[in-house]
């Protein structure tokens, strides 16, 4: 490109002698077959010559590779063809230099003139402004993120500097501390006013210690809100120093009220756990299946002789179970875990540290995850060795007493029979009336004593022989009741006993034992019922069972006595104010009815007391071992 300026006529007229802005004249380079190919420079002024030399620009526009923003040949051809000027910006890069121009392409003769106005300083100012705005937006975004983070984490930031000698808090401090406008204050004195009075001296000293500290420090304090609630806070700080003196303190304050409450609740729960273990002397345990670890409570030494650190996991526990009990215990535990159960209990023998075995009652609760898998199991192990020994000793003593009573009752029958036969023989000899009355009294007393002995023997059979034996034969319950009522009417001539029957009332039973049931229940009604009222005996035949009801008017049975009414040796108080018999009548009634596969119940109100007996039609499936069955089959 030549360095000489060749102005055209129009251009020379419009330009001053010396133009400060670069200007370059271009003419189009055309080829008939291919149209416009490029633009070639033909002249330039001095300002343009310096620019071309600095940026090393070629004579053709297609060689301006270091220029960004230059329109293509087609766009520039439009300027030549239409005469419409085209404005744009150019970004030019050279070796070690960079500049920006506002360019304007105008038609000049058969070509165009490219005017360049240097806007580098303006562009740099705009870029600096954009960068400053971007930094400002980023700072605001960081502040917003910090605000959201502080609100979410329930904390505020604080700073003290030697230059300002004041506390500076983050904007959310007012809401965080629940204070009126002004927040926690700009001085330590104002901040301490927000702290509970009893803690102010301690907090002030903690700040002074933080000022002298070499590393991070922390302390807790409590502050009251405007609504009167008290919150717990934790301050974390760091002191920055220059040689010999602190220059800056900064940190955060966190609201730890919920955490403090949770920690207090945890401490309280742990204390309850410790006291419960101490009070019950149970060995508490906590099993985590994922790690197979069992945490044993402090009572392990008192209960089993092992320090907690010597007790292992599940495998160790299994090894200490008595070999005879191990399969039963593990099977029951596996069943609970695999079936989705929530609780487990087992009684077994567990080896102590000294090698002896303790009888333990082990109970546990299963905690499961969302998929129903066992996540944890917590329970307690109770040493029941002494209790088990006591129960076994009591059972042995009870069996001995009952066996002794049975033997004694059996041996008393012989002399009692002799007394009864002698009294009956004396009555038949025609004794004087006074002696006749004595003989009758002797015979009645012997009969009553015989009934007591029979009750004792039935008690012994029920307790020691697995139930009272029955002689099951085809029987008719109304007939049995009729016989008993007639016998009792003869013994109690002044009393009214009414028998009502519905249905045939036939079944497979022991008629002698059923008669004993009726005698005991009716005798009980005569003893405790109203003298002026009638005792009702009802036999009702239902499709699948037979019902017997004995009802008497009189005062109701006290509610606290109903639960133990059928227990042995429970003696009721009759109208005479003293008890009669051994208190075995109702116990034997229940045993006989249950031996038949039935049940007995009582209902007592102000209107009277009713004992109800429910018997199956055929008692053979429920008969105890040793009972005799009929030789022929009877269908009710």
């Amino acid at each position: 490109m030549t360095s000489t300026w060749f102005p055209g006529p129009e251009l020379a007229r419009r330009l001053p002698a010396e133009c400060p802005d670069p200007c370059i004249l271009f003419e189009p380079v055309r080829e008939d077959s291919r149209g416009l190919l490029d633009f070639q420079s033909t002249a330039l002024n001095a300002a343009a010559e310096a620019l071309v030399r600095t940026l090393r620009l070629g004579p053709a526009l297609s060689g301006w590779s270091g220029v960004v923003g230059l329109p293509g040949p087609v766009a520039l051809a439009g300027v030549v063809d239409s005469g419409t000027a085209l404005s744009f910006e150019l970004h030019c890069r050279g070796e070690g230099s960079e500049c920006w121009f506002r360019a304007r392409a105008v038609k000049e003769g058969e070509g165009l003139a490219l005017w360049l106005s240097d806007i580098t300083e303006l562009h740099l100012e705009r870029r600096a402004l954009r960068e400053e705005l971007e930094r400002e937006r980023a700072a605001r975004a960081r502040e917003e993120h910090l605000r959201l983070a502080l609100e979410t984490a329930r904390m505020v930031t604080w700073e003290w500097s030697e230059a300002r000698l004041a506390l500076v808090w983050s904007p959310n401090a007012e809401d965080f501390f629940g204070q009126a406008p002004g927040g926690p204050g700009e001085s330590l004195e104002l901040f301490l006013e927000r702290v509970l009075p009893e803690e102010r001296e301690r907090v002030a000293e903690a700040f002074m210690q933080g000022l002298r500290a070499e590393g991070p420090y922390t302390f807790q304090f409590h502050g009251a809100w405007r609504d009167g609630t008290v919150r717990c806070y934790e301050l974390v700080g760091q002191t920055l120093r220059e040689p010999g003196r602190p220059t800056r303190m900064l940190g955060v304050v966190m609201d730890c009220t919920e955490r403090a409450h949770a920690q207090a609740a945890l401490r309280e729960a742990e204390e309850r756990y410790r006291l419960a273990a101490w009070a019950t002397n149970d060995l508490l345990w906590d099993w985590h299946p994922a790690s197979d670890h069992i945490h044993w409570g402090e009572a392990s030494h008192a209960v089993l002789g092992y320090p907690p650190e010597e007790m292992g996991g599940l495998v160790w526990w299994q090894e200490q179970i008595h070999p005879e009990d191990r399969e039963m215990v593990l099977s029951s535990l596996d069943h609970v875990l695999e079936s989705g159960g929530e609780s487990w209990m087992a009684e077994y023998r567990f080896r102590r540290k000294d090698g002896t075995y303790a009888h333990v009652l082990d109970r546990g609760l299963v905690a499961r995850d969302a998929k129903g898998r066992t996540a944890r199991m917590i329970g307690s192990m109770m040493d029941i060795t002494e209790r088990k020994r006591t129960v076994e000793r009591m059972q042995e003593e009870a069996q001995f007493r009952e066996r002794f009573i049975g033997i004694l009752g059996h041996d008393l029958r012989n002399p009692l029979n002799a007394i009864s036969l002698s009294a009956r023989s004396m009555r038949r000899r025609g004794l004087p009336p006074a002696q006749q009355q004595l003989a009758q009294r002797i015979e009645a007393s012997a009969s009553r004593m015989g009934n007591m002995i029979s009750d004792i023997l039935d008690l012994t059979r029920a307790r020691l022989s697995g139930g009272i034996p029955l002689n099951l034969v085809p029987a008719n319950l109304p007939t049995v009741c009729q016989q008993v009522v007639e016998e009792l009417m003869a013994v109690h001539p002044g009393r009214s006993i009414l028998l009502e029957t519905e249905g045939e009332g036939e079944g497979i039973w022991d008629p002698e034992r059923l008669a004993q049931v009726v005698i005991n229940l009716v005798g009980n009604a005569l003893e405790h019922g109203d003298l002026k009222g009638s005792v009702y005996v009802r036999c009702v035949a239902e499709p699948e069972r037979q019902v017997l009801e004995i009802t008497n008017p009189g005062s109701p049975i006290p509610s606290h006595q109903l639960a133990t009414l059928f227990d042995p040796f429970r003696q009721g108080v009759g109208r005479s104010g003293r008890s009669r018999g051994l208190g075995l009548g109702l116990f034997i009634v229940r045993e006989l009815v249950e031996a038949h596969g039935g049940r007995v119940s009582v209902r007592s109100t102000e209107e009277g007391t009713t004992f109800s007996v429910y018997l199956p039609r055929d008692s053979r499936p429920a008969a105890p071992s040793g009972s005799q069955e009929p030789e022929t089959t009877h269908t009710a």
Side-chain angles (χ1 to χ4, degrees):
M1 178 187 295
T2 179
S3 60
T4 305
W5 174 247
F6 298 103
E10 297 296 328
L11 182 62
R13 286 195 296 269
R14 292 204 305 266
L15 287 176
E18 294 184 358
C19 180
D21 291 333
C23 181
I24 306 173
L25 295 180
F26 290 93
E27 63 181 12
V29 178
R30 301 178 183 273
E31 184 173 311
D32 295 339
S33 60
R34 298 177 60 186
L36 180 65
L37 294 179
D38 199 355
F39 282 88
Q40 182 77 26
S41 61
T42 59
L44 70 168
N45 64 4
E49 184 177 359
L51 177 65
V52 167
R53 186 182 304 111
T54 301
L55 298 179
R56 298 182 179 274
L57 300 176
L61 284 179
S62 59
W64 288 21
S65 59
V67 178
V68 178
L70 185 66
V74 176
L76 294 176
V79 175
V80 176
D81 295 339
S82 65
T84 302
L86 180 65
S87 299
F88 48 90
E89 286 190 6
L90 297 179
H91 179 199
C92 304
R93 291 188 180 92
E95 293 184 359
S97 63
E98 185 177 20
C99 53
W100 287 263
F101 294 94
R102 182 177 292 111
R104 183 174 176 82
V106 297
K107 183 176 181 180
E108 179 65 29
E110 296 299 323
L112 58 84
L114 181 62
W115 291 91
L116 300 176
S117 177
D118 192 344
I119 58 171
T120 301
E121 292 184 3
L122 177 62
H123 185 85
L124 292 177
E125 290 177 358
R126 287 190 302 181
R127 185 167 70 176
L129 180 60
R130 286 196 301 269
E131 292 175 352
E132 181 65 25
L133 292 175
E134 184 63 29
R135 286 193 295 270
E136 185 177 345
R137 283 196 296 268
R140 286 198 298 266
R142 286 194 299 270
E143 290 179 357
E144 180 64 14
H145 291 163
L146 177 60
R147 184 187 66 80
L148 293 175
L150 292 175
E151 291 182 357
T152 303
R154 296 190 59 79
M155 65 173 60
V156 294
T157 61
W158 62 274
E159 181 181 359
W160 175 89
S161 63
E162 184 183 32
R164 298 186 59 177
L165 296 178
L167 282 172
V168 179
W169 299 89
S170 55
N172 62 326
E174 292 182 5
D175 295 334
F176 179 80
F177 287 106
Q179 299 296 331
E186 295 184 353
S187 65
L188 179 60
E189 292 74 15
L190 291 175
F191 170 71
L192 291 177
E193 292 180 3
R194 313 302 189 207
V195 180
L196 294 184
E198 60 269 21
E199 296 183 355
R200 289 173 184 171
E201 183 177 352
R202 177 180 62 82
V203 172
E205 178 60 25
F207 262 111
M208 294 300 101
Q209 291 179 359
L211 192 64
R212 299 187 294 269
E214 294 295 335
Y217 53 89
T218 180
F219 59 86
Q220 290 188 356
F221 62 93
H222 293 81
W225 280 32
R226 283 174 293 178
D227 59 5
T229 59
V230 176
R231 309 289 295 183
C232 180
Y233 301 100
E234 182 175 3
L235 182 144
V236 179
Q238 174 78 49
T239 300
L240 304 180
R241 300 175 175 277
E242 290 184 359
R245 59 188 178 85
T247 58
R248 189 181 179 195
M249 300 172 68
L250 69 163
V252 297
V253 178
M254 298 172 287
D255 189 333
C256 59
T257 306
E258 285 74 15
R259 186 181 66 187
H261 290 168
Q263 291 174 344
L266 179 60
R267 288 193 297 269
E268 184 178 353
E270 290 176 347
E271 182 67 11
R272 284 199 303 268
Y273 178 90
R274 187 185 65 81
L275 292 176
W278 177 80
T280 61
N281 200 31
D282 287 358
L283 173 56
L284 304 181
W285 50 265
D286 186 354
W287 173 44
H288 294 261
S291 61
D292 200 27
H293 173 72
I294 300 178
H295 173 76
W296 299 94
E298 298 177 356
S300 60
H301 189 274
V303 176
L304 299 173
Y306 296 99
E309 59 271 13
E310 291 186 11
M311 302 181 72
L314 188 67
V315 175
W316 178 88
W317 168 74
Q318 295 174 2
E319 293 173 349
Q320 312 313 312
I321 301 175
H322 195 284
E324 297 178 0
D325 301 338
R326 189 174 300 149
E327 182 179 356
M328 176 272 296
V329 175
L330 298 182
S331 297
S332 66
L333 179 61
D334 290 341
H335 174 72
V336 171
L337 298 180
E338 295 175 1
S339 64
E342 297 181 353
S343 62
W344 168 76
M345 182 174 64
E347 185 177 326
Y348 56 93
R349 289 165 288 179
F350 193 86
R351 184 166 53 218
R352 299 188 181 97
K353 184 176 176 62
D354 60 8
T356 61
Y357 282 91
H359 286 271
V360 297
L361 177 62
D362 210 347
R363 294 165 291 189
L365 294 177
V366 182
R368 301 183 181 275
D369 58 19
K371 296 182 179 180
R373 297 172 299 193
T374 303
R376 190 178 183 185
M377 192 170 180
I378 302 176
S380 65
M381 183 185 294
M382 178 189 298
D383 186 350
I384 60 171
T385 305
E386 290 302 322
R387 186 177 71 180
K388 194 171 185 65
R389 290 173 181 170
T390 301
V391 171
E392 291 175 350
R393 186 166 55 250
M394 293 174 62
Q395 290 176 345
E396 292 174 357
E397 292 175 356
Q399 291 177 358
F400 174 78
R401 287 196 302 268
E402 292 174 357
R403 188 177 295 110
F404 174 78
I405 291 173
I407 295 173
L408 182 62
H410 184 272
D411 292 344
L412 285 176
R413 279 184 178 275
N414 292 331
L416 189 60
N417 287 336
I419 294 174
S420 181
L421 291 173
S422 298
R424 191 175 300 115
S425 177
M426 290 173 63
R427 289 179 56 195
R428 292 175 181 173
R429 292 181 180 179
L431 297 175
Q435 296 178 358
Q436 186 79 10
Q437 186 176 3
L438 289 175
Q440 183 178 357
R441 187 176 300 169
I442 292 172
E443 185 178 2
S445 297
S447 176
R448 189 161 56 252
M449 185 176 291
N451 291 335
M452 292 182 182
I453 292 174
S454 297
D455 289 346
I456 291 174
L457 292 178
D458 285 340
L459 170 66
T460 304
R461 294 189 188 101
R463 291 292 184 89
L464 301 181
S465 302
I468 300 175
L470 303 177
N471 182 25
L472 299 176
V473 295
N476 184 279
L477 186 58
T479 301
V480 173
C481 292
Q482 182 65 39
Q483 294 173 355
V484 172
V485 169
E486 291 176 357
E487 292 175 5
L488 293 176
M489 287 288 290
V491 178
H492 302 276
R495 300 297 300 275
S496 172
I497 305 175
L498 304 178
L499 175 63
E500 300 177 1
T501 62
E502 295 181 14
E504 297 182 357
E506 294 182 345
I508 305 298
W509 304 305
D510 186 335
E512 294 297 329
R513 291 300 188 179
L514 290 186
Q516 188 176 355
V517 170
V518 179
I519 290 173
N520 286 354
L521 291 178
V522 176
N524 184 77
L526 293 172
E527 172 66 20
H528 299 282
D530 189 351
L531 281 173
K532 298 181 180 179
S534 298
V535 176
Y536 294 90
V537 180
R538 297 180 66 244
C539 293
V540 180
E542 294 184 355
E544 300 296 331
R545 64 181 181 178
Q546 180 69 35
V547 181
L548 170 65
E549 292 183 346
I550 288 85
T551 303
N552 66 270
S555 301
I557 301 172
S559 58
H560 67 277
Q561 294 182 6
L562 291 175
T564 59
L565 196 62
F566 294 96
D567 290 350
F569 305 111
R570 296 290 177 176
Q571 297 173 321
V573 179
R575 286 182 300 274
S576 61
R578 55 189 181 89
S579 59
R580 299 180 60 183
L582 298 174
L584 295 175
L586 293 180
F587 169 75
I588 292 174
V589 167
R590 186 186 65 184
E591 293 296 319
L592 291 175
V593 172
E594 291 181 353
H596 280 83
R599 63 182 179 89
V600 60
S601 64
V602 60
R603 182 178 68 257
S604 187
T605 64
E606 295 291 340
E607 298 177 356
T609 300
T610 299
F611 284 85
S612 300
V613 175
Y614 304 93
L615 296 172
R617 287 290 175 191
D618 189 346
S619 295
R620 285 176 294 185
S625 59
S627 298
Q628 299 179 2
E629 298 186 0
E631 296 180 358
T632 59
T633 302
H634 176 81
T635 303

